[in-house]
Amino acid sequence: MVLILEANALTKSYGDTHALAGVDLTIQAGEAVAIMGASGSGKTTLLHVLAGILAPDGGSVTLHATQPPLVISELGDAARSQLRREAFGFVFQQGLLIPELTAVENVALPLMLNGVPRAEAEQRAAAWLGALGLGGMEQRRIGQLSGGQAQRVAVARAQVIEPAVVFADEPTGALDSATSSDVMDALLGTTSARGRTLVVVTHDEGIAARCGRIVRLRDGRVVETRSKVADMEYIEGETR
Ligand SMILES: Nc1ncnc2c1ncn2[C@@H]1O[C@H](COP(=O)(O)OP(=O)(O)O)[C@@H](O)[C@H]1O
Ligand SMILES: [Mg+2]
């Protein structure tokens, strides 16, 4: 196993609320990790700190995808934005796609922000849309797609830069269960199935059960970690 992301003793407070109260987590390359827990347990805060969207108050986050490893939690705002653009993909419940742009333009955007010329960016974007079953829909605006199709565009957008880690926060939260399953197929098929890493926050036990590991939070702490050892079987405890 190859370590890719490591969090040590993470703390983050909002006033008197300890959103993260000392979280340790190690994630291996190619893993799909589900983060679960009640509303308010700190899932989104953890995801944002792991992805360098938020700086923790204490503790550290280290990305082992580079040599030497990069301590994300020590970077300034500009370096963290650059890292997010170049190394991470994001899928949220909704809201990241730009409604005025077509599907292919939305997917091409992260590449163009990294300096890839438009024609090449759109070509690579179209290939990802095709891989996710959206061939022929390149020129549609987001409002002309179903919820599940739009989320697959969001998955394509997250993958187009070939990120080291994809972070998803309730990616199926607004979808029915059949559509959720399709979106999860898209997420897993483009990440752990290809040796890439996925960290997904979800409320849905069925979605979580498709991941190799489930980490449960309560009041900003990890209260349970279960790893899949066979198709239907989990063992408790951190795998290092
Ligand atoms: N920007 C913020 N300002 C104040 N409190 C916040 C903020 N973000 C999160 N919190 C609080 O931190 C706790 C954890 O929130 P969050 O990480 O969003 O949990 P979850 O994603 O599990 O629902 C909650 O009590 C929430 O109200
Ligand atoms: Mg949340």
Side-chain angles (χ1 to χ4, degrees):
M1 290 198 292
V2 180
L3 178 65
I4 191 158
L5 200 58
E6 178 182 14
N8 283 304
L10 288 179
T11 57
K12 178 78 184 176
S13 297
Y14 298 102
D16 292 336
T17 303
H18 301 299
L20 298 179
V23 171
D24 295 307
L25 186 64
T26 53
I27 296 174
Q28 312 295 329
E31 255 199 301
V33 179
I35 299 175
M36 299 198 78
S39 180
S41 58
K43 303 181 298 295
T44 294
T45 305
L46 177 59
L47 196 82
H48 287 186
V49 170
L50 291 175
I53 294 171
L54 276 176
D57 297 336
S60 63
V61 177
T62 308
L63 180 67
H64 291 269
T66 55
Q67 198 48 253
L70 188 63
V71 184
I72 299 173
S73 47
E74 285 176 357
L75 300 174
D77 284 350
R80 275 191 284 128
S81 334
Q82 184 182 357
L83 176 73
R84 291 197 302 270
R85 276 202 311 274
E86 294 177 356
F88 296 149
F90 296 93
V91 180
F92 296 121
Q93 185 169 335
Q94 50 207 165
L96 251 185
L97 298 171
I98 300 171
E100 290 78 11
L101 299 182
T102 63
V104 75
E105 286 169 342
N106 267 283
V107 177
L109 200 59
L111 289 172
M112 291 170 67
L113 290 173
N114 287 339
V116 176
R118 184 181 193 114
E120 185 192 333
E122 293 200 352
Q123 202 176 356
R124 283 163 62 181
W128 274 104
L129 288 172
L132 288 165
L134 295 166
M137 300 190 189
E138 295 84 358
Q139 300 308 323
R140 292 211 200 165
R141 289 180 206 286
I142 302 309
Q144 298 171 317
L145 297 169
S146 71
Q149 289 167 342
Q151 266 319 54
R152 279 185 281 146
V153 173
V155 172
R157 200 194 114 116
Q159 301 294 350
V160 75
I161 63 156
E162 315 251 326
V165 184
V166 172
F167 295 95
D169 194 352
E170 308 268 10
T172 64
L175 304 174
D176 64 58
S177 65
T179 313
S180 293
S181 178
D182 289 348
V183 168
M184 201 57 192
D185 288 343
L187 265 176
L188 287 170
T190 51
T191 54
S192 61
R194 301 180 183 211
R196 297 220 178 93
T197 310
L198 174 68
V199 183
V200 56
V201 166
T202 183
H203 271 112
D204 185 325
E205 294 283 350
I207 295 292
R210 298 188 56 188
C211 295
R213 186 149 58 113
I214 301 177
V215 173
R216 278 179 215 275
L217 297 184
R218 188 187 303 144
D219 299 334
R221 294 177 195 277
V222 175
V223 291
E224 185 188 40
T225 297
R226 294 202 299 161
S227 298
K228 211 182 233 185
V229 288
D231 231 11
M232 299 298 291
E233 200 182 339
Y234 283 85
I235 51 167
E236 292 196 24
E238 178 72 284
T239 47
R240 279 176 193 269

